[in-house]
Structure formats: C-alpha cells, structure tokens
Amino acid sequence: MTPPAAPRADARRNRALILAAAGEVFAERGASAATEEVARRAGVAIGTVFRHFPTKDDLLRALMKDLLQRLTDQVSQLAAEGDPATALFEFFTSLVEQAAARKAVVDLLAAAGTDVQVTSAVQALRDGIARLLTRAQQVGAIRADVQVGEVMALLTSTGQGALQGGWDRELQGRALAVIFSGLRAAGPARSSG
C-alpha cells in the first residue's frame, strides 16, 4: 500500500495565504469580519477557505497556533544567530508589539470560548526563551538571579497588558524600558561580536 501523499504545494500555499489574510482581516474588523472577506483578501474561493478551516473557530485556532509557531521560530533564530546581550530584549519587544496588534484575534477566541490547546507550542517557546536568558546571563547582559519563570511571567503580563490595553508604541517603549532596567545586570554587558 502506498503511503498517503504529502499535501500539494498549492494547498500549502493556499493555507498560508488564508492565514495571512485572516490575520489582517480579523485585526482590522474584529468579530464582524466575514470569512468571505478572508477569501477575497487571500485571492482564493470561499470553498477553499472552508476546505482548510470548516468554521471560523477553526480558522482562529489555526491563527493562534501559527502565531505561536512564528514566535518559537523567532526565539530559535535569535538563540542561534542573535547577539546574546540583546536577543532576549529584542524578542520581548517583538512580542509586545505583536500582542498589541493581535488584540482582535485573541478577543474573538475569548468571545467564542475557543480552546486553542497550545501546551506543546508554549513549552517549545519557554525552552527557547530559557536559551536566550542563559546566553544573556553568560555575557553579563541580564542579572544572574533572573530565572526563566520570572521572564515568562513578565512576558505574559506585559503581552496581556499590550493586548488588552491596545498599547501604542510610546507606552510599549516606556513599559519595556522599566522591565529591561530591572532585568539588566549592573555594568556594561559584553557583546558577542
């Protein structure tokens, strides 16, 4: 018996187009956004959207999983290639910006009571953040007594603040400056490069 074929390239491309369009549409229009608008923006037929995501909740769930995967990929890339002295701060800033921009999607999930079930994705993200923290501590950029649980708590609470409050760039910058000041080790950090 022949193993099942991998998804066709055009199906993968359509799925990616739909998710990108849905992220934009839901961020702009919130709960009133129609799946038809997502299809239009993605340049696909409405039937294509429903083949990939039978319900709006399925689409929202996929959006959140996609976001978590992108965050995990970003952490992995920063851990592999980023400056250990700045990579965690860079990720922290990016997460807060994304939280403020994704308010509509998360609000829709909450209103619908959608269970995203992202435990493994969150653990992968936590592992990546732990690597960023360890590297930053090794070069003296972050205090040695800071632990990954504290960083996760700060990321979660700051992300929720930006998400629920719709923080503008100025407020994001001020809040992050206070947090970063508390995380930084005394004295200048050694750069990796």
Side-chain angles (χ1 to χ4, degrees), residues 86-124:
T86 61
L88 182 61
F89 298 119
E90 184 180 330
F91 177 73
F92 213 120
T93 301
S94 175
L95 180 78
V96 170
E97 288 172 353
Q98 290 184 57
R102 300 269 181 210
K103 181 176 180 1
V105 174
V106 176
D107 284 350
L108 283 170
L109 283 168
T114 301
D115 179 14
V116 182
Q117 297 189 11
V118 292
T119 305
S120 62
V122 170
Q123 185 60 48

PDB file of all heavy atoms in Angstrom, residues 86-124:
ATOM      1  N   THR A  86      21.549  41.157  23.508  1.00  0.00           N
ATOM      2  CA  THR A  86      20.341  41.898  23.138  1.00  0.00           C
ATOM      3  C   THR A  86      19.178  41.027  22.660  1.00  0.00           C
ATOM      4  O   THR A  86      18.059  41.516  22.526  1.00  0.00           O
ATOM      5  CB  THR A  86      20.658  42.922  22.035  1.00  0.00           C
ATOM      6  OG1 THR A  86      21.147  42.211  20.875  1.00  0.00           O
ATOM      7  CG2 THR A  86      21.686  43.949  22.499  1.00  0.00           C
ATOM      8  N   ALA A  87      19.415  39.754  22.376  1.00  0.00           N
ATOM      9  CA  ALA A  87      18.396  38.908  21.746  1.00  0.00           C
ATOM     10  C   ALA A  87      17.123  38.779  22.583  1.00  0.00           C
ATOM     11  O   ALA A  87      16.017  38.856  22.045  1.00  0.00           O
ATOM     12  CB  ALA A  87      18.970  37.526  21.433  1.00  0.00           C
ATOM     13  N   LEU A  88      17.256  38.590  23.898  1.00  0.00           N
ATOM     14  CA  LEU A  88      16.059  38.454  24.724  1.00  0.00           C
ATOM     15  C   LEU A  88      15.261  39.754  24.732  1.00  0.00           C
ATOM     16  O   LEU A  88      14.036  39.736  24.628  1.00  0.00           O
ATOM     17  CB  LEU A  88      16.416  38.042  26.160  1.00  0.00           C
ATOM     18  CG  LEU A  88      15.217  37.839  27.093  1.00  0.00           C
ATOM     19  CD1 LEU A  88      14.304  36.724  26.593  1.00  0.00           C
ATOM     20  CD2 LEU A  88      15.684  37.531  28.501  1.00  0.00           C
ATOM     21  N   PHE A  89      15.941  40.880  24.802  1.00  0.00           N
ATOM     22  CA  PHE A  89      15.256  42.180  24.771  1.00  0.00           C
ATOM     23  C   PHE A  89      14.562  42.395  23.428  1.00  0.00           C
ATOM     24  O   PHE A  89      13.440  42.910  23.361  1.00  0.00           O
ATOM     25  CB  PHE A  89      16.241  43.314  25.054  1.00  0.00           C
ATOM     26  CG  PHE A  89      16.872  43.240  26.419  1.00  0.00           C
ATOM     27  CD1 PHE A  89      18.243  43.120  26.550  1.00  0.00           C
ATOM     28  CD2 PHE A  89      16.108  43.284  27.576  1.00  0.00           C
ATOM     29  CE1 PHE A  89      18.846  43.041  27.795  1.00  0.00           C
ATOM     30  CE2 PHE A  89      16.690  43.207  28.830  1.00  0.00           C
ATOM     31  CZ  PHE A  89      18.062  43.091  28.944  1.00  0.00           C
ATOM     32  N   GLU A  90      15.212  41.967  22.346  1.00  0.00           N
ATOM     33  CA  GLU A  90      14.621  42.075  21.015  1.00  0.00           C
ATOM     34  C   GLU A  90      13.341  41.242  20.922  1.00  0.00           C
ATOM     35  O   GLU A  90      12.318  41.694  20.403  1.00  0.00           O
ATOM     36  CB  GLU A  90      15.645  41.608  19.978  1.00  0.00           C
ATOM     37  CG  GLU A  90      15.204  41.752  18.551  1.00  0.00           C
ATOM     38  CD  GLU A  90      16.274  41.276  17.565  1.00  0.00           C
ATOM     39  OE1 GLU A  90      17.476  41.368  17.873  1.00  0.00           O
ATOM     40  OE2 GLU A  90      15.876  40.806  16.487  1.00  0.00           O
ATOM     41  N   PHE A  91      13.395  40.015  21.443  1.00  0.00           N
ATOM     42  CA  PHE A  91      12.214  39.163  21.414  1.00  0.00           C
ATOM     43  C   PHE A  91      11.092  39.746  22.261  1.00  0.00           C
ATOM     44  O   PHE A  91       9.929  39.770  21.857  1.00  0.00           O
ATOM     45  CB  PHE A  91      12.539  37.744  21.890  1.00  0.00           C
ATOM     46  CG  PHE A  91      11.313  36.885  21.936  1.00  0.00           C
ATOM     47  CD1 PHE A  91      10.736  36.425  20.775  1.00  0.00           C
ATOM     48  CD2 PHE A  91      10.704  36.595  23.144  1.00  0.00           C
ATOM     49  CE1 PHE A  91       9.575  35.668  20.801  1.00  0.00           C
ATOM     50  CE2 PHE A  91       9.538  35.830  23.186  1.00  0.00           C
ATOM     51  CZ  PHE A  91       8.975  35.367  22.006  1.00  0.00           C
ATOM     52  N   PHE A  92      11.437  40.225  23.445  1.00  0.00           N
ATOM     53  CA  PHE A  92      10.463  40.812  24.365  1.00  0.00           C
ATOM     54  C   PHE A  92       9.725  41.958  23.664  1.00  0.00           C
ATOM     55  O   PHE A  92       8.484  42.032  23.691  1.00  0.00           O
ATOM     56  CB  PHE A  92      11.202  41.338  25.597  1.00  0.00           C
ATOM     57  CG  PHE A  92      10.441  41.239  26.880  1.00  0.00           C
ATOM     58  CD1 PHE A  92      10.956  40.500  27.935  1.00  0.00           C
ATOM     59  CD2 PHE A  92       9.244  41.901  27.076  1.00  0.00           C
ATOM     60  CE1 PHE A  92      10.287  40.411  29.139  1.00  0.00           C
ATOM     61  CE2 PHE A  92       8.573  41.820  28.270  1.00  0.00           C
ATOM     62  CZ  PHE A  92       9.082  41.078  29.302  1.00  0.00           C
ATOM     63  N   THR A  93      10.476  42.828  23.004  1.00  0.00           N
ATOM     64  CA  THR A  93       9.887  43.971  22.296  1.00  0.00           C
ATOM     65  C   THR A  93       8.965  43.499  21.191  1.00  0.00           C
ATOM     66  O   THR A  93       7.836  43.993  21.041  1.00  0.00           O
ATOM     67  CB  THR A  93      11.011  44.862  21.728  1.00  0.00           C
ATOM     68  OG1 THR A  93      11.836  45.303  22.815  1.00  0.00           O
ATOM     69  CG2 THR A  93      10.448  46.066  20.989  1.00  0.00           C
ATOM     70  N   SER A  94       9.395  42.532  20.416  1.00  0.00           N
ATOM     71  CA  SER A  94       8.594  41.996  19.322  1.00  0.00           C
ATOM     72  C   SER A  94       7.294  41.379  19.832  1.00  0.00           C
ATOM     73  O   SER A  94       6.226  41.576  19.250  1.00  0.00           O
ATOM     74  CB  SER A  94       9.411  40.959  18.562  1.00  0.00           C
ATOM     75  OG  SER A  94       8.634  40.336  17.574  1.00  0.00           O
ATOM     76  N   LEU A  95       7.377  40.641  20.940  1.00  0.00           N
ATOM     77  CA  LEU A  95       6.186  40.003  21.491  1.00  0.00           C
ATOM     78  C   LEU A  95       5.149  41.039  21.911  1.00  0.00           C
ATOM     79  O   LEU A  95       3.956  40.891  21.626  1.00  0.00           O
ATOM     80  CB  LEU A  95       6.553  39.125  22.689  1.00  0.00           C
ATOM     81  CG  LEU A  95       5.355  38.421  23.328  1.00  0.00           C
ATOM     82  CD1 LEU A  95       4.948  37.213  22.500  1.00  0.00           C
ATOM     83  CD2 LEU A  95       5.659  38.015  24.740  1.00  0.00           C
ATOM     84  N   VAL A  96       5.589  42.102  22.554  1.00  0.00           N
ATOM     85  CA  VAL A  96       4.655  43.144  22.992  1.00  0.00           C
ATOM     86  C   VAL A  96       4.023  43.834  21.781  1.00  0.00           C
ATOM     87  O   VAL A  96       2.815  44.077  21.761  1.00  0.00           O
ATOM     88  CB  VAL A  96       5.365  44.150  23.924  1.00  0.00           C
ATOM     89  CG1 VAL A  96       4.494  45.358  24.195  1.00  0.00           C
ATOM     90  CG2 VAL A  96       5.748  43.462  25.238  1.00  0.00           C
ATOM     91  N   GLU A  97       4.812  44.101  20.751  1.00  0.00           N
ATOM     92  CA  GLU A  97       4.266  44.715  19.532  1.00  0.00           C
ATOM     93  C   GLU A  97       3.214  43.809  18.899  1.00  0.00           C
ATOM     94  O   GLU A  97       2.154  44.273  18.489  1.00  0.00           O
ATOM     95  CB  GLU A  97       5.386  44.979  18.525  1.00  0.00           C
ATOM     96  CG  GLU A  97       6.299  46.110  18.909  1.00  0.00           C
ATOM     97  CD  GLU A  97       7.509  46.233  17.993  1.00  0.00           C
ATOM     98  OE1 GLU A  97       7.719  45.351  17.114  1.00  0.00           O
ATOM     99  OE2 GLU A  97       8.270  47.194  18.174  1.00  0.00           O
ATOM    100  N   GLN A  98       3.517  42.513  18.823  1.00  0.00           N
ATOM    101  CA  GLN A  98       2.573  41.570  18.215  1.00  0.00           C
ATOM    102  C   GLN A  98       1.309  41.427  19.060  1.00  0.00           C
ATOM    103  O   GLN A  98       0.213  41.289  18.515  1.00  0.00           O
ATOM    104  CB  GLN A  98       3.245  40.214  18.006  1.00  0.00           C
ATOM    105  CG  GLN A  98       4.300  40.254  16.927  1.00  0.00           C
ATOM    106  CD  GLN A  98       4.890  38.906  16.664  1.00  0.00           C
ATOM    107  OE1 GLN A  98       4.166  37.968  16.342  1.00  0.00           O
ATOM    108  NE2 GLN A  98       6.198  38.787  16.790  1.00  0.00           N
ATOM    109  N   ALA A  99       1.457  41.439  20.375  1.00  0.00           N
ATOM    110  CA  ALA A  99       0.277  41.325  21.245  1.00  0.00           C
ATOM    111  C   ALA A  99      -0.654  42.503  21.023  1.00  0.00           C
ATOM    112  O   ALA A  99      -1.875  42.335  20.913  1.00  0.00           O
ATOM    113  CB  ALA A  99       0.701  41.239  22.706  1.00  0.00           C
ATOM    114  N   ALA A 100      -0.097  43.704  20.947  1.00  0.00           N
ATOM    115  CA  ALA A 100      -0.931  44.887  20.731  1.00  0.00           C
ATOM    116  C   ALA A 100      -1.633  44.818  19.381  1.00  0.00           C
ATOM    117  O   ALA A 100      -2.801  45.195  19.251  1.00  0.00           O
ATOM    118  CB  ALA A 100      -0.079  46.153  20.833  1.00  0.00           C
ATOM    119  N   ALA A 101      -0.957  44.266  18.366  1.00  0.00           N
ATOM    120  CA  ALA A 101      -1.530  44.195  17.025  1.00  0.00           C
ATOM    121  C   ALA A 101      -2.544  43.068  16.864  1.00  0.00           C
ATOM    122  O   ALA A 101      -3.419  43.138  16.014  1.00  0.00           O
ATOM    123  CB  ALA A 101      -0.409  44.012  15.998  1.00  0.00           C
ATOM    124  N   ARG A 102      -2.483  42.027  17.679  1.00  0.00           N
ATOM    125  CA  ARG A 102      -3.342  40.845  17.525  1.00  0.00           C
ATOM    126  C   ARG A 102      -4.551  40.870  18.451  1.00  0.00           C
ATOM    127  O   ARG A 102      -5.219  39.863  18.614  1.00  0.00           O
ATOM    128  CB  ARG A 102      -2.549  39.569  17.815  1.00  0.00           C
ATOM    129  CG  ARG A 102      -1.394  39.377  16.908  1.00  0.00           C
ATOM    130  CD  ARG A 102      -1.792  38.582  15.721  1.00  0.00           C
ATOM    131  NE  ARG A 102      -0.626  38.400  14.873  1.00  0.00           N
ATOM    132  CZ  ARG A 102      -0.694  38.279  13.586  1.00  0.00           C
ATOM    133  NH1 ARG A 102      -1.847  38.286  12.993  1.00  0.00           N
ATOM    134  NH2 ARG A 102       0.393  38.130  12.870  1.00  0.00           N
ATOM    135  N   LYS A 103      -4.856  41.997  19.036  1.00  0.00           N
ATOM    136  CA  LYS A 103      -5.946  42.082  20.006  1.00  0.00           C
ATOM    137  C   LYS A 103      -7.250  41.502  19.463  1.00  0.00           C
ATOM    138  O   LYS A 103      -7.921  40.741  20.138  1.00  0.00           O
ATOM    139  CB  LYS A 103      -6.154  43.532  20.441  1.00  0.00           C
ATOM    140  CG  LYS A 103      -7.257  43.677  21.472  1.00  0.00           C
ATOM    141  CD  LYS A 103      -7.359  45.093  21.947  1.00  0.00           C
ATOM    142  CE  LYS A 103      -8.427  45.349  22.976  1.00  0.00           C
ATOM    143  NZ  LYS A 103      -9.249  44.308  23.449  1.00  0.00           N
ATOM    144  N   ALA A 104      -7.593  41.832  18.238  1.00  0.00           N
ATOM    145  CA  ALA A 104      -8.873  41.386  17.689  1.00  0.00           C
ATOM    146  C   ALA A 104      -8.954  39.869  17.613  1.00  0.00           C
ATOM    147  O   ALA A 104      -9.986  39.282  17.927  1.00  0.00           O
ATOM    148  CB  ALA A 104      -9.088  41.991  16.297  1.00  0.00           C
ATOM    149  N   VAL A 105      -7.881  39.215  17.213  1.00  0.00           N
ATOM    150  CA  VAL A 105      -7.901  37.756  17.080  1.00  0.00           C
ATOM    151  C   VAL A 105      -8.081  37.097  18.442  1.00  0.00           C
ATOM    152  O   VAL A 105      -8.899  36.201  18.615  1.00  0.00           O
ATOM    153  CB  VAL A 105      -6.609  37.256  16.399  1.00  0.00           C
ATOM    154  CG1 VAL A 105      -6.551  35.740  16.400  1.00  0.00           C
ATOM    155  CG2 VAL A 105      -6.536  37.777  14.967  1.00  0.00           C
ATOM    156  N   VAL A 106      -7.321  37.548  19.435  1.00  0.00           N
ATOM    157  CA  VAL A 106      -7.427  36.952  20.763  1.00  0.00           C
ATOM    158  C   VAL A 106      -8.791  37.247  21.374  1.00  0.00           C
ATOM    159  O   VAL A 106      -9.394  36.391  22.016  1.00  0.00           O
ATOM    160  CB  VAL A 106      -6.272  37.429  21.664  1.00  0.00           C
ATOM    161  CG1 VAL A 106      -6.431  36.888  23.073  1.00  0.00           C
ATOM    162  CG2 VAL A 106      -4.945  36.975  21.083  1.00  0.00           C
ATOM    163  N   ASP A 107      -9.307  38.455  21.169  1.00  0.00           N
ATOM    164  CA  ASP A 107     -10.646  38.783  21.659  1.00  0.00           C
ATOM    165  C   ASP A 107     -11.699  37.867  21.040  1.00  0.00           C
ATOM    166  O   ASP A 107     -12.624  37.420  21.719  1.00  0.00           O
ATOM    167  CB  ASP A 107     -11.004  40.249  21.346  1.00  0.00           C
ATOM    168  CG  ASP A 107     -10.311  41.225  22.275  1.00  0.00           C
ATOM    169  OD1 ASP A 107      -9.697  40.787  23.272  1.00  0.00           O
ATOM    170  OD2 ASP A 107     -10.375  42.430  21.998  1.00  0.00           O
ATOM    171  N   LEU A 108     -11.564  37.581  19.752  1.00  0.00           N
ATOM    172  CA  LEU A 108     -12.512  36.685  19.093  1.00  0.00           C
ATOM    173  C   LEU A 108     -12.442  35.287  19.690  1.00  0.00           C
ATOM    174  O   LEU A 108     -13.467  34.651  19.917  1.00  0.00           O
ATOM    175  CB  LEU A 108     -12.220  36.614  17.592  1.00  0.00           C
ATOM    176  CG  LEU A 108     -12.682  37.794  16.752  1.00  0.00           C
ATOM    177  CD1 LEU A 108     -12.104  37.686  15.349  1.00  0.00           C
ATOM    178  CD2 LEU A 108     -14.186  37.888  16.702  1.00  0.00           C
ATOM    179  N   LEU A 109     -11.241  34.810  19.937  1.00  0.00           N
ATOM    180  CA  LEU A 109     -11.082  33.492  20.549  1.00  0.00           C
ATOM    181  C   LEU A 109     -11.734  33.454  21.920  1.00  0.00           C
ATOM    182  O   LEU A 109     -12.429  32.502  22.270  1.00  0.00           O
ATOM    183  CB  LEU A 109      -9.602  33.130  20.676  1.00  0.00           C
ATOM    184  CG  LEU A 109      -8.920  32.672  19.399  1.00  0.00           C
ATOM    185  CD1 LEU A 109      -7.418  32.625  19.605  1.00  0.00           C
ATOM    186  CD2 LEU A 109      -9.434  31.333  18.968  1.00  0.00           C
ATOM    187  N   ALA A 110     -11.498  34.482  22.709  1.00  0.00           N
ATOM    188  CA  ALA A 110     -12.063  34.530  24.056  1.00  0.00           C
ATOM    189  C   ALA A 110     -13.587  34.587  23.999  1.00  0.00           C
ATOM    190  O   ALA A 110     -14.275  33.897  24.743  1.00  0.00           O
ATOM    191  CB  ALA A 110     -11.511  35.731  24.818  1.00  0.00           C
ATOM    192  N   ALA A 111     -14.129  35.406  23.101  1.00  0.00           N
ATOM    193  CA  ALA A 111     -15.580  35.550  22.988  1.00  0.00           C
ATOM    194  C   ALA A 111     -16.232  34.246  22.551  1.00  0.00           C
ATOM    195  O   ALA A 111     -17.319  33.897  22.996  1.00  0.00           O
ATOM    196  CB  ALA A 111     -15.927  36.656  21.998  1.00  0.00           C
ATOM    197  N   ALA A 112     -15.540  33.517  21.692  1.00  0.00           N
ATOM    198  CA  ALA A 112     -16.091  32.261  21.194  1.00  0.00           C
ATOM    199  C   ALA A 112     -15.833  31.111  22.155  1.00  0.00           C
ATOM    200  O   ALA A 112     -16.343  30.018  21.964  1.00  0.00           O
ATOM    201  CB  ALA A 112     -15.483  31.940  19.833  1.00  0.00           C
ATOM    202  N   GLY A 113     -15.007  31.352  23.158  1.00  0.00           N
ATOM    203  CA  GLY A 113     -14.660  30.285  24.092  1.00  0.00           C
ATOM    204  C   GLY A 113     -13.808  29.223  23.432  1.00  0.00           C
ATOM    205  O   GLY A 113     -13.806  28.073  23.817  1.00  0.00           O
ATOM    206  N   THR A 114     -13.050  29.606  22.420  1.00  0.00           N
ATOM    207  CA  THR A 114     -12.248  28.657  21.660  1.00  0.00           C
ATOM    208  C   THR A 114     -11.045  28.208  22.467  1.00  0.00           C
ATOM    209  O   THR A 114     -10.279  29.006  22.960  1.00  0.00           O
ATOM    210  CB  THR A 114     -11.788  29.306  20.336  1.00  0.00           C
ATOM    211  OG1 THR A 114     -12.939  29.692  19.611  1.00  0.00           O
ATOM    212  CG2 THR A 114     -10.975  28.340  19.505  1.00  0.00           C
ATOM    213  N   ASP A 115     -10.893  26.899  22.577  1.00  0.00           N
ATOM    214  CA  ASP A 115      -9.759  26.302  23.270  1.00  0.00           C
ATOM    215  C   ASP A 115      -8.680  26.027  22.231  1.00  0.00           C
ATOM    216  O   ASP A 115      -8.856  25.186  21.359  1.00  0.00           O
ATOM    217  CB  ASP A 115     -10.202  25.005  23.945  1.00  0.00           C
ATOM    218  CG  ASP A 115      -9.060  24.306  24.662  1.00  0.00           C
ATOM    219  OD1 ASP A 115      -8.004  24.930  24.865  1.00  0.00           O
ATOM    220  OD2 ASP A 115      -9.240  23.136  25.016  1.00  0.00           O
ATOM    221  N   VAL A 116      -7.563  26.734  22.324  1.00  0.00           N
ATOM    222  CA  VAL A 116      -6.532  26.634  21.308  1.00  0.00           C
ATOM    223  C   VAL A 116      -5.660  25.397  21.495  1.00  0.00           C
ATOM    224  O   VAL A 116      -5.097  24.889  20.556  1.00  0.00           O
ATOM    225  CB  VAL A 116      -5.677  27.924  21.294  1.00  0.00           C
ATOM    226  CG1 VAL A 116      -4.622  27.865  20.218  1.00  0.00           C
ATOM    227  CG2 VAL A 116      -6.557  29.134  21.092  1.00  0.00           C
ATOM    228  N   GLN A 117      -5.527  24.886  22.707  1.00  0.00           N
ATOM    229  CA  GLN A 117      -4.707  23.711  23.015  1.00  0.00           C
ATOM    230  C   GLN A 117      -3.306  23.850  22.439  1.00  0.00           C
ATOM    231  O   GLN A 117      -2.950  23.223  21.446  1.00  0.00           O
ATOM    232  CB  GLN A 117      -5.373  22.434  22.513  1.00  0.00           C
ATOM    233  CG  GLN A 117      -6.693  22.190  23.203  1.00  0.00           C
ATOM    234  CD  GLN A 117      -7.272  20.838  22.880  1.00  0.00           C
ATOM    235  OE1 GLN A 117      -6.637  19.992  22.304  1.00  0.00           O
ATOM    236  NE2 GLN A 117      -8.505  20.628  23.289  1.00  0.00           N
ATOM    237  N   VAL A 118      -2.516  24.682  23.099  1.00  0.00           N
ATOM    238  CA  VAL A 118      -1.184  25.009  22.596  1.00  0.00           C
ATOM    239  C   VAL A 118      -0.093  24.668  23.609  1.00  0.00           C
ATOM    240  O   VAL A 118       0.965  25.249  23.589  1.00  0.00           O
ATOM    241  CB  VAL A 118      -1.105  26.494  22.208  1.00  0.00           C
ATOM    242  CG1 VAL A 118      -1.956  26.789  20.997  1.00  0.00           C
ATOM    243  CG2 VAL A 118      -1.495  27.379  23.381  1.00  0.00           C
ATOM    244  N   THR A 119      -0.336  23.703  24.479  1.00  0.00           N
ATOM    245  CA  THR A 119       0.616  23.377  25.536  1.00  0.00           C
ATOM    246  C   THR A 119       1.996  23.069  24.993  1.00  0.00           C
ATOM    247  O   THR A 119       2.996  23.586  25.488  1.00  0.00           O
ATOM    248  CB  THR A 119       0.090  22.189  26.365  1.00  0.00           C
ATOM    249  OG1 THR A 119      -1.213  22.520  26.837  1.00  0.00           O
ATOM    250  CG2 THR A 119       0.998  21.903  27.541  1.00  0.00           C
ATOM    251  N   SER A 120       2.099  22.234  23.966  1.00  0.00           N
ATOM    252  CA  SER A 120       3.419  21.881  23.435  1.00  0.00           C
ATOM    253  C   SER A 120       4.087  23.080  22.780  1.00  0.00           C
ATOM    254  O   SER A 120       5.304  23.251  22.887  1.00  0.00           O
ATOM    255  CB  SER A 120       3.320  20.717  22.454  1.00  0.00           C
ATOM    256  OG  SER A 120       2.533  21.078  21.343  1.00  0.00           O
ATOM    257  N   ALA A 121       3.307  23.927  22.124  1.00  0.00           N
ATOM    258  CA  ALA A 121       3.878  25.124  21.498  1.00  0.00           C
ATOM    259  C   ALA A 121       4.392  26.085  22.558  1.00  0.00           C
ATOM    260  O   ALA A 121       5.450  26.688  22.396  1.00  0.00           O
ATOM    261  CB  ALA A 121       2.841  25.808  20.616  1.00  0.00           C
ATOM    262  N   VAL A 122       3.666  26.225  23.658  1.00  0.00           N
ATOM    263  CA  VAL A 122       4.105  27.104  24.740  1.00  0.00           C
ATOM    264  C   VAL A 122       5.375  26.559  25.378  1.00  0.00           C
ATOM    265  O   VAL A 122       6.299  27.311  25.701  1.00  0.00           O
ATOM    266  CB  VAL A 122       2.979  27.314  25.781  1.00  0.00           C
ATOM    267  CG1 VAL A 122       3.500  28.029  27.017  1.00  0.00           C
ATOM    268  CG2 VAL A 122       1.824  28.085  25.158  1.00  0.00           C
ATOM    269  N   GLN A 123       5.478  25.237  25.538  1.00  0.00           N
ATOM    270  CA  GLN A 123       6.689  24.643  26.116  1.00  0.00           C
ATOM    271  C   GLN A 123       7.898  24.872  25.211  1.00  0.00           C
ATOM    272  O   GLN A 123       8.984  25.189  25.684  1.00  0.00           O
ATOM    273  CB  GLN A 123       6.503  23.141  26.376  1.00  0.00           C
ATOM    274  CG  GLN A 123       7.692  22.515  27.085  1.00  0.00           C
ATOM    275  CD  GLN A 123       7.980  23.138  28.448  1.00  0.00           C
ATOM    276  OE1 GLN A 123       7.090  23.308  29.265  1.00  0.00           O
ATOM    277  NE2 GLN A 123       9.230  23.512  28.682  1.00  0.00           N
ATOM    278  N   ALA A 124       7.713  24.741  23.905  1.00  0.00           N
ATOM    279  CA  ALA A 124       8.804  25.000  22.968  1.00  0.00           C
ATOM    280  C   ALA A 124       9.242  26.458  23.046  1.00  0.00           C
ATOM    281  O   ALA A 124      10.439  26.762  23.013  1.00  0.00           O
ATOM    282  CB  ALA A 124       8.384  24.638  21.548  1.00  0.00           C
TER     283      ALA A 124
END
